[in-house]
Amino acid sequence: MISKNSFKSYFLVSNEEISIYVKNTSNSEIIFFKKKKITNDSDNFFERDVQPFFLEKIEQVESQIKLFIDDTVLIVDDKSIFSIGLSLKQKIENRKITEEELKNLLSNGLQQIYTQNPNHLIIHYIIDQFNIDGETIENPAEKMISNYLSINLRFICIEKKLADRYKNLFKKKQILLEKIISLFYLKEYEHDEEGDLISIASKIENGYNKNEIKLIPKKVKKRGFFENFFLSI
């Protein structure tokens, strides 16, 4: 029996094209794909191109699969998306860092970015580097620290008002915005991985980058080391 969980949808918007993909989750086959070449050269780009394309194609999708789409992943390239780098340092002498200390350090970084950028959402939170006493390491939990631990963090952010435009568009079809992925960030992995952008997006969603901290809605309760970092979109 075919269920809603049998399909996953993606909506991609760049300065050159907009496209919609639906894949079969059991075999990763793309069962629906439509795209339109565009030019993002005016303030009414969203109303002129993005909105009518989405509303038309989502109806075609639902007609084809005989089911309603409940949620979608937005892959977007926009001038409002930007990265912020942040370095944090903690003095630790002659012992290993505890799990709680590391979680608190990472949470502190998240809160600093939110406080300084109240009109933006964090869509990707990445640990670029751990450094113990001047040495770059992969896992700080396994190494004795003599003097200090420092962490280089990267936050990819999007304007809340842009995210809200897409949320409101999807709501017209009772569709939830499940996740936002930066197209620029996605393309960092094009040369590492075989397959199309949607295949790479799926891998990113499923934790391909082990140093990307998963941000989950506050209403979802999960257990795990990095899974208590929250993002509401």
Side-chain angles (χ1 to χ4, degrees):
M1 179 178 178
I2 297 177
S3 71
K4 293 181 180 181
N5 293 332
S6 302
F7 304 101
K8 180 92 174 182
S9 67
Y10 298 83
F11 189 51
L12 187 151
V13 181
S14 72
N15 290 325
E16 291 80 34
E17 73 172 55
I18 46 179
S19 51
I20 188 167
Y21 302 77
V22 179
K23 75 171 185 178
N24 186 321
T25 54
S26 64
N27 58 15
S28 296
E29 178 187 358
I30 301 296
I31 57 103
F32 185 94
F33 167 66
K34 296 290 182 181
K35 75 175 181 179
K36 177 183 178 181
K37 293 293 184 182
I38 58 167
T39 303
N40 185 358
D41 58 357
S42 66
D43 293 336
N44 69 341
F45 153 75
F46 189 90
E47 291 77 13
R48 183 193 66 198
D49 294 310
V50 176
Q51 181 168 289
F53 178 87
F54 176 80
L55 295 176
E56 176 186 350
K57 301 309 176 187
I58 206 67
E59 287 189 0
Q60 292 180 14
V61 170
E62 293 176 338
S63 175
Q64 178 174 319
I65 67 176
K66 304 295 191 293
L67 290 169
F68 291 113
I69 299 293
D70 284 338
D71 47 50
T72 192
V73 175
L74 173 65
I75 303 171
V76 63
D77 181 22
D78 189 87
K79 61 184 179 181
S80 76
I81 297 176
F82 64 97
S83 294
I84 303 173
L86 178 67
S87 293
L88 299 176
K89 188 174 182 179
Q90 181 164 325
K91 187 173 182 62
I92 299 174
E93 295 184 327
N94 302 316
R95 62 178 177 85
K96 295 180 180 179
I97 190 169
T98 67
E99 179 178 307
E100 192 65 26
E101 285 176 315
L102 185 53
K103 286 165 65 175
N104 288 339
L105 194 61
L106 295 172
S107 182
N108 178 43
L110 186 72
Q111 294 307 316
Q112 284 191 45
I113 300 303
Y114 272 137
T115 299
Q116 295 166 11
N117 301 272
N119 297 320
H120 292 82
L121 294 173
I122 298 168
I123 55 176
H124 301 286
Y125 182 4
I126 304 127
I127 302 170
D128 279 334
Q129 187 182 84
F130 287 112
N131 188 293
I132 290 179
D133 301 325
E135 177 187 354
T136 300
I137 52 98
E138 289 187 3
N139 188 349
E142 298 177 354
K143 186 164 179 71
M144 187 69 70
I145 303 171
S146 297
N147 294 299
Y148 70 89
L149 166 73
S150 66
I151 307 177
N152 292 338
L153 305 172
R154 177 162 45 114
F155 302 85
I156 301 177
C157 306
I158 188 172
E159 284 187 349
K160 282 184 179 179
K161 65 180 182 180
L162 179 61
D164 285 343
R165 293 185 85 181
Y166 283 102
K167 281 178 63 177
N168 292 332
L169 170 60
F170 300 155
K171 280 180 181 178
K172 291 178 183 291
K173 290 296 182 179
Q174 292 78 51
I175 294 173
L176 175 71
L177 173 53
E178 178 183 350
K179 182 176 178 60
I180 302 174
I181 297 177
S182 160
L183 181 58
F184 183 80
Y185 175 61
L186 200 62
K187 287 184 175 181
E188 290 182 17
Y189 297 93
E190 269 191 309
H191 301 297
D192 298 338
E193 289 293 306
E194 296 181 356
D196 55 32
L197 284 174
I198 300 307
S199 298
I200 300 172
S202 181
K203 290 178 180 179
I204 292 294
E205 283 187 279
N206 292 319
Y208 175 75
N209 181 0
K210 301 303 181 184
N211 284 334
E212 179 173 356
I213 297 172
K214 188 174 183 180
L215 299 167
I216 59 176
K218 291 183 179 181
K219 64 182 179 180
V220 178
K221 294 183 178 180
K222 293 185 178 181
R223 293 181 180 178
F225 188 36
F226 288 143
E227 291 185 343
N228 64 335
F229 294 90
F230 302 120
L231 173 66
S232 298
I233 60 174

